[in-house]
């Protein structure tokens, strides 16, 4: 059965991670991706084309190497844009306008196209001209001020959370605009930024300030407002326990064999438990470290208390539920043979997406892409003669 986005053509001008994250969603669900790269490109990572990052981000794509600074290259690009449904880019704001491939120029040749952008800080405003990367947005967007243990200073999150979130949100925006196009027949411009994505992801920590004036601080592994909810030691490895509601707190005390905690005046309300969190956490830790993690997880699960181990990445992929969910795709790759990548987290019943091709050779699909855009063999050769079209990597 064709995948949901089968027949959709996407022009991919993305670099680094945020833009490619958006395009990866579209590629995994059947869109045909025409990745437009400058001749000699290393995919914006400065590392090997077949390195782990590129293989995971640029699967299921075709490649054409076009010099957009060359008039003939730009003209060829506009031919591609006339055939495409979506264009995704995450250049600095000024670059697309300098190349004369901004939303207005593309709409002139294809008013049905959905033009999608990610920037560091927004398409307009005092920071619009700045380049942005994930960690800068983590700091400016407040995340580093609430991550890590109190008194230890700012701490980045261990994944590029802004890049990934901005890419995920832009993919959602693209699908909304495509849905609207079904009604109007016209495409348009959709965009987000790392900073917007980060402020959005502050979520309840933001509304604590907006509604109550509370400026959240660092809470380490503890939940900012609910107690007990955090990491506790066991005899072999740390575990997460979430028992903050009145009912779960009562059940948890009984599982621990510490009904006396229920009679402790300062621990009888959620606010009281949070106010006395250091003493409460120390008391819980004294109990949990007496037995191994599997014992606690079995007992707590039986009692209906959310819990789980703190796994390293090797343990994640050894976990039976992760294996059951099939979170690894073994992707065919013409140069590596096979590569393990993370599968899409989306499940659409009746469809089975996968990786049908690995990272394309630079410019390796140029002839086919240009032919689909309506260029003849002689026109393609003429384009190559101008130096605007890069030769396929060998």
């Amino acid at each position: 059965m064709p995948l949901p986005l089968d027949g959709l053509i996407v022009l991919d001008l993305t670099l680094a991670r945020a833009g490619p994250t958006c395009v990866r969603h579209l590629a995994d669900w059947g869109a045909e991706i025409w990745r437009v790269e400058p001749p000699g490109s290393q995919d914006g990572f400065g590392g090997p084309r077949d390195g782990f990052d590129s293989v995971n981000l640029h699967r299921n794509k075709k490649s054409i190497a076009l010099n957009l600074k060359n008039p003939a290259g730009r003209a060829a690009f506009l031919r591609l844009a006339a055939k495409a449904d979506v264009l995704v880019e995450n250049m600095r704001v000024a670059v697309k306008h300098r190349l004369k491939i901004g939303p207005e120029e593309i709409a002139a040749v294809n008013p049905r196209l959905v033009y999608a952008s990610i920037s560091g800080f927004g398409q307009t405003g005092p920071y619009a001209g700045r380049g942005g990367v994930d960690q800068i947005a983590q700091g400016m967007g407040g995340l580093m001020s609430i991550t890590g243990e109190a008194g230890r200073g700012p701490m980045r999150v261990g994944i590029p959370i802004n890049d990934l979130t901005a890419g995920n949100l832009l993919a959602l925006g693209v699908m909304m605009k495509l849905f609207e196009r079904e009604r109007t027949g016209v495409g348009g411009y959709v965009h987000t930024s790392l900073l917007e994505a980060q402020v959005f992801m502050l979520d309840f920590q933001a509304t604590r300030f907006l509604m109550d004036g509370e400026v959240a601080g660092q809470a380490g592994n503890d939940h900012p407002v609910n107690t007990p909810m955090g990491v506790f030691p066991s005899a072999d490895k740390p575990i997460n326990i979430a028992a903050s509601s009145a009912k779960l707190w009562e059940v948890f005390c009984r599982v621990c064999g510490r009904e006396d905690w229920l009679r402790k005046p300062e621990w009888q309300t959620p606010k009281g438990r949070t106010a006395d969190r250091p003493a409460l956490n120390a008391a819980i830790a004294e109990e949990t470290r007496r037995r191994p993690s599997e014992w606690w997880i079995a007992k707590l699960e039986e009692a209906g208390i959310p819990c789980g181990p703190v796994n390293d990445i090797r343990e994640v992929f050894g976990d039976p539920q992760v294996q059951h969910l099939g979170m690894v795709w073994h992707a065919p790759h013409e140069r590596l043979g096979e590569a393990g990548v993370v599968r899409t987290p989306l499940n659409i019943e009746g469809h089975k997406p996968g990786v049908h091709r690995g990272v394309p050779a630079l410019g390796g699909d140029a002839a086919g892409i240009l032919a689909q855009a309506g260029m003849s063999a002689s026109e393609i050769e003429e384009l190559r003669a101008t130096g605007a079209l890069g030769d396929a990597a060998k």
Side-chain angles (χ1 to χ4, degrees):
M1 181 181 296
L3 290 170
L5 299 183
D6 186 62
L8 196 76
I9 295 177
V10 178
L11 275 176
D12 175 13
L13 282 77
T14 65
L15 302 169
R17 189 179 314 280
T21 296
C22 169
V23 177
R24 179 173 56 186
H25 283 297
L26 309 179
D28 284 350
W29 288 101
E32 181 169 342
I33 312 299
W34 294 349
R35 179 162 172 74
V36 180
E37 307 179 75
S41 168
Q42 287 296 322
D43 294 318
F45 295 116
R49 188 174 190 84
D50 292 331
F52 59 86
D53 226 348
S54 181
V55 167
N56 194 42
L57 285 169
H58 298 301
R59 64 207 191 199
N60 289 333
K61 297 182 179 183
K62 295 179 179 179
S63 172
I64 178 171
L66 275 178
N67 181 356
L68 300 182
K69 298 177 182 178
N70 182 308
R74 179 180 176 274
F77 176 78
L78 293 179
R79 295 275 293 269
L80 303 184
K83 292 288 186 180
D85 297 284
V86 178
L87 184 155
V88 185
E89 63 87 19
N90 63 325
M91 311 169 190
R92 285 192 183 220
V93 171
V95 173
K96 58 180 170 286
H97 300 297
R98 188 163 63 243
L99 293 172
K100 297 182 180 179
I101 56 168
E104 300 82 4
E105 289 92 350
I106 300 303
V109 299
N110 184 355
R112 285 179 52 82
L113 182 136
V114 173
Y115 196 114
S117 298
I118 296 175
S119 61
F121 305 102
Q123 296 295 312
T124 59
Y127 300 164
R130 294 187 186 182
V133 297
D134 179 87
Q135 186 159 336
I136 305 302
Q138 286 195 34
M140 292 178 69
L143 182 59
M144 292 175 69
S145 75
I146 57 173
T147 303
E149 297 175 334
R152 296 284 298 276
M155 182 70 65
R156 72 182 293 274
V157 173
I159 58 171
I161 188 73
N162 291 292
D163 284 342
L164 298 173
T165 301
N168 294 340
L169 291 173
L170 191 66
L172 176 62
V174 166
M175 299 314 300
M176 288 180 180
K177 200 65 181 171
L178 286 171
F179 186 81
E180 182 186 51
R181 189 181 75 171
E182 291 298 302
R183 183 174 69 250
T184 66
V186 178
Y189 193 25
V190 55
H191 53 87
T192 189
S193 67
L194 302 187
L195 186 59
E196 288 169 286
Q198 178 53 73
V199 174
F200 169 77
M201 289 293 282
L202 288 177
D203 198 62
F204 77 94
Q205 295 282 44
T207 51
R208 284 175 71 186
F209 169 72
L210 295 173
M211 294 180 65
D212 299 331
E214 288 187 70
V215 177
Q218 295 166 299
N221 289 321
D222 294 316
H223 189 278
V225 296
N226 297 325
T227 307
M229 188 181 296
V231 177
F232 298 92
S234 73
D236 58 341
K237 64 183 296 184
I239 56 175
N240 275 305
I241 299 172
S244 60
S245 71
K247 180 180 179 181
L248 289 176
W249 169 243
E250 180 179 349
V251 174
F252 178 69
C253 291
R254 299 192 190 286
V255 171
C256 291
R258 294 300 304 265
E259 287 86 347
D260 59 304
W261 290 349
L262 296 171
R263 297 188 293 273
K264 199 171 177 67
E266 56 268 43
W267 295 355
Q268 289 182 352
T269 66
K271 284 189 175 181
R273 291 193 291 275
T274 298
D276 200 32
R277 176 183 280 162
L280 175 60
N281 282 355
I284 293 173
E286 189 175 342
E287 294 297 327
T288 56
R289 64 167 49 99
R290 298 178 191 275
R291 296 181 182 274
S293 57
E294 287 188 4
W295 187 93
W296 281 110
I297 291 168
K299 288 293 184 181
L300 295 171
E301 279 290 334
E302 184 181 3
I305 298 171
C307 62
V310 177
N311 291 329
D312 64 24
I313 292 177
R314 183 185 302 278
E315 291 168 324
V316 169
F317 288 104
D319 184 278
Q321 184 64 24
V322 173
Q323 292 182 346
H324 170 78
L325 293 171
M327 289 305 299
V328 177
W329 277 341
H330 297 286
H333 194 286
E334 62 184 48
R335 294 177 295 283
L336 300 178
E338 187 176 86
V341 297
V342 182
R343 81 156 172 86
T344 174
L346 302 173
N347 303 285
I348 301 177
E349 291 299 316
H351 293 288
K352 189 175 181 181
V355 181
H356 56 267
R357 59 177 359 219
V359 179
L362 176 62
D365 304 289
I369 290 172
L370 293 169
Q372 276 185 263
M375 293 186 73
S376 67
S378 61
E379 286 178 308
I380 294 171
E381 282 306 313
E382 185 178 342
L383 183 64
R384 184 173 283 112
T386 68
L389 180 64
D391 289 325
K394 303 299 183 184

